[in-house]
Amino acid sequence: MYKSNGNITYDCKYHIIFCPKYRKPVLVGEVEKMLKEIIPYKADELGAEIIEMEINKDHVHLLISCDPQFGIHKVVKGFSSRVLRENFQHLKSSMPSMWTNSYFVGTVGSVSLEVVKQYVENQQVRSKKK
């Protein structure tokens, strides 16, 4: 389903994996519970949609649909880090920051790479016919 922000029309879905600093297994119990509330809250505030979310003790998997003008980190990392560290003293005292700087992001398309490739390749042919 296409969305629009007034300037662009888009259908962008991303698979994101990110980890706590030092890949510490801290995403358990009440921390996990709060994170499952924080991420959808922030996503909704930014007009993004969490399609799927799974939290393991040392990493998070998200499938998210969001405006490509937002940095993925804005949806998931900055806000959640601040809220978790404010609410759980052990995270603040034992880790210099909540999340690692690095993360994985892959796009998930509604059409295959081959279909898009053929479409682009055929543009010159279509232009000549006009």
Side-chain angles (χ1 to χ4, degrees):
M1 179 169 114
Y2 293 109
K3 296 179 182 177
S4 178
N5 66 12
N7 294 321
I8 60 172
T9 301
Y10 61 92
D11 179 19
C12 297
K13 295 177 185 73
Y14 305 95
H15 175 209
I16 305 162
I17 305 169
F18 59 102
C19 306
K21 195 80 165 176
Y22 311 123
R23 196 136 185 182
K24 284 192 171 189
V26 296
L27 305 177
V28 296
E30 291 300 310
V31 174
E32 176 186 14
K33 184 178 175 184
M34 183 173 278
L35 188 56
K36 284 183 175 180
E37 294 170 3
I38 293 168
I39 291 175
Y41 170 81
K42 188 62 173 178
D44 188 54
E45 186 179 281
L46 295 171
E49 174 191 1
I50 304 298
I51 300 166
E52 291 291 334
M53 174 173 49
E54 187 59 50
I55 298 174
N56 295 307
K57 63 185 178 186
D58 65 352
H59 67 284
V60 177
H61 283 267
L62 290 177
L63 179 57
I64 187 169
S65 172
C66 69
D67 186 328
Q69 293 184 105
F70 286 128
I72 299 300
H73 64 283
K74 284 185 181 177
V75 177
V76 296
K77 291 175 82 178
F79 177 76
S80 62
S81 175
R82 187 176 75 250
V83 172
L84 290 174
R85 288 166 54 84
E86 285 172 357
N87 285 279
F88 298 100
Q89 185 59 40
H90 70 282
L91 297 177
K92 195 171 194 173
S93 63
S94 67
M95 301 168 72
S97 60
M98 183 66 200
W99 307 116
T100 61
N101 289 333
S102 52
Y103 57 95
F104 167 83
V105 62
T107 57
V108 179
S110 54
V111 296
S112 71
L113 174 63
E114 194 55 42
V115 168
V116 175
K117 232 174 120 180
Q118 288 177 340
Y119 178 81
V120 172
E121 287 172 356
N122 291 330
Q123 289 307 297
Q124 195 171 25
V125 174
R126 289 182 183 182
S127 294
K128 288 180 182 179
K129 288 181 181 180
K130 290 181 182 177

